[in-house]
């Protein structure tokens, strides 16, 4: 027997399935998966939460989490199986992974010093920022506050901008400040800072304009 969810998931009418085996329906994309399931059921009598790629009536792939158990009803043995369609969940995960990879690639190769700031701590710094400030990525990431790079003369102004940005959307995004570097040589910086929507994190870029001063 099958339920309505089976019909909706795999695209079959009830009368197309009743009286047929899953093998008849060619529901397994990979025959080895079917053989593995048979071995598990023969050895243990059940299996739980294993991922397989199944086949829709149209031929499209269905990524599913499957469980099954052999039960006895009278003198007869039956197999109860459950397949949960996780195709959309998997597609979303792959899309998010791709988006993160694209974001990181842009972040690392934009040619501009950049940082992701969580509250005051720099949670991510690209290579250009490391070169500009004179610190390694390991020294900066998760360890240093953006305030440590700001010359004392600009502390008050920068702190005001940081607080204001979290209160009103129209807070200034662009301004200049003097950056402290490891070698003690201050750099004139033109910065652009924006909150990342839906988070408390900021993304900041730093352009060295010292030579124009």
């Amino acid at each position: 027997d099958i339920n309505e969810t089976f019909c909706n998931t795999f695209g079959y009418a009830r009368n197309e399935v009743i009286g047929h085996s899953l093998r008849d329906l060619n529901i397994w994309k990979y025959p080895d998966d079917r053989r593995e399931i048979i071995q598990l059921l023969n050895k243990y009598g059940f299996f739980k939460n294993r991922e397989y790629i199944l086949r829709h009536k149209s031929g499209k792939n269905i990524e599913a989490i499957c469980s099954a158990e052999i039960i006895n009803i009278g003198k007869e043995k039956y197999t109860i199986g459950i397949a949960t369609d996780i195709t959309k969940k998997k597609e979303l995960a792959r899309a998010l992974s791709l988006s993160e990879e694209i974001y990181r690639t842009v972040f690392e190769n934009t040619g501009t010093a950049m940082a992701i700031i969580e509250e005051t701590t720099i949670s991510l710094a690209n290579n250009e920022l490391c070169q500009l400030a004179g610190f390694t990525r390991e020294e900066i990431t998760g360890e240093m506050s953006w305030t440590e790079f700001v010359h004392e003369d600009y502390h008050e102004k920068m702190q005001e901008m940081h607080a204001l940005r979290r209160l009103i959307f129209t807070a200034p995004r662009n301004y200049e400040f003097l950056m402290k570097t490891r070698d003690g040589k201050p750099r004139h910086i033109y910065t652009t800072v924006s909150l990342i929507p839906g988070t408390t994190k900021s993304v900041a870029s730093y352009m060295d304009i010292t030579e124009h001063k």
Side-chain angles (χ1 to χ4, degrees):
D1 198 6
I2 60 170
N3 63 10
E4 185 177 350
T5 301
F6 181 97
C7 296
N8 293 336
T9 300
F10 292 96
Y12 289 95
R14 186 181 181 83
N15 61 2
E16 293 179 297
V17 178
I18 300 300
H20 296 275
S21 69
L22 295 181
R23 185 176 185 179
D24 294 336
L25 299 175
N26 195 27
I27 209 167
W28 307 103
K29 179 175 177 63
Y30 302 110
D32 284 348
D33 289 345
R34 176 180 173 276
R35 286 190 282 270
E36 178 185 80
I37 285 174
I38 291 173
Q39 290 173 357
L40 289 170
L41 289 173
N42 288 337
K43 185 174 183 178
Y44 301 107
F46 72 95
F47 67 88
K48 292 183 178 181
N49 301 326
R50 300 182 72 88
E51 290 189 20
Y52 295 104
I53 299 179
L54 308 179
R55 198 192 305 270
H56 188 272
K57 181 182 178 181
S58 66
K60 72 178 182 180
N61 292 338
I62 298 172
E63 297 182 68
I65 293 180
C66 303
S67 300
E69 182 177 359
I70 295 175
I71 62 170
N72 295 306
I73 300 179
K75 295 182 180 180
E76 299 293 330
K77 286 186 176 182
Y78 296 88
T79 301
I80 296 178
I82 300 172
T84 302
D85 186 354
I86 58 170
T87 307
K88 291 183 178 179
K89 181 179 179 180
K90 287 286 191 175
E91 289 174 348
L92 178 59
R94 285 191 288 267
L96 287 173
S97 177
L98 177 61
S99 295
E100 290 174 0
E101 187 63 30
I102 292 172
Y103 158 77
R104 182 173 290 274
T105 300
V106 172
F107 183 83
E108 293 294 345
N109 296 282
T110 185
T112 301
M114 295 187 71
I116 301 295
I117 300 166
E118 190 158 2
E119 295 302 333
T120 62
T121 303
I122 297 175
S123 59
L124 192 62
N126 69 0
N127 189 55
E128 282 77 10
L129 178 58
C130 296
Q131 292 178 355
L132 177 62
F135 293 89
T136 66
R137 195 187 302 263
E138 291 73 22
E139 289 175 315
I140 296 175
T141 302
E143 300 293 334
M144 299 183 72
S145 167
W146 62 266
T147 59
E148 296 179 62
F149 297 103
V150 179
H151 191 275
E152 289 77 7
D153 292 346
Y154 290 82
H155 264 189
E156 185 176 349
K157 173 187 175 182
M158 298 283 282
Q159 291 281 17
E160 287 177 358
M161 293 295 133
H162 181 76
L164 190 60
R165 194 174 301 110
R166 282 153 176 74
L167 295 175
I168 58 173
F169 181 72
T170 55
R173 297 175 60 244
N174 308 103
Y175 39 89
E176 295 181 20
F177 74 99
L178 206 59
M179 175 184 279
K180 294 193 299 184
T181 62
R182 181 168 223 156
D183 63 9
K185 298 178 181 179
R187 310 296 297 180
H188 290 276
I189 301 296
Y190 180 81
T191 186
T192 299
V193 187
S194 296
L195 274 176
I196 299 174
T199 75
T200 59
K201 297 180 181 180
S202 302
V203 57
S205 65
Y206 306 94
M207 183 184 301
D208 187 354
I209 58 173
T210 304
E211 293 182 2
H212 301 288
K213 288 293 184 177

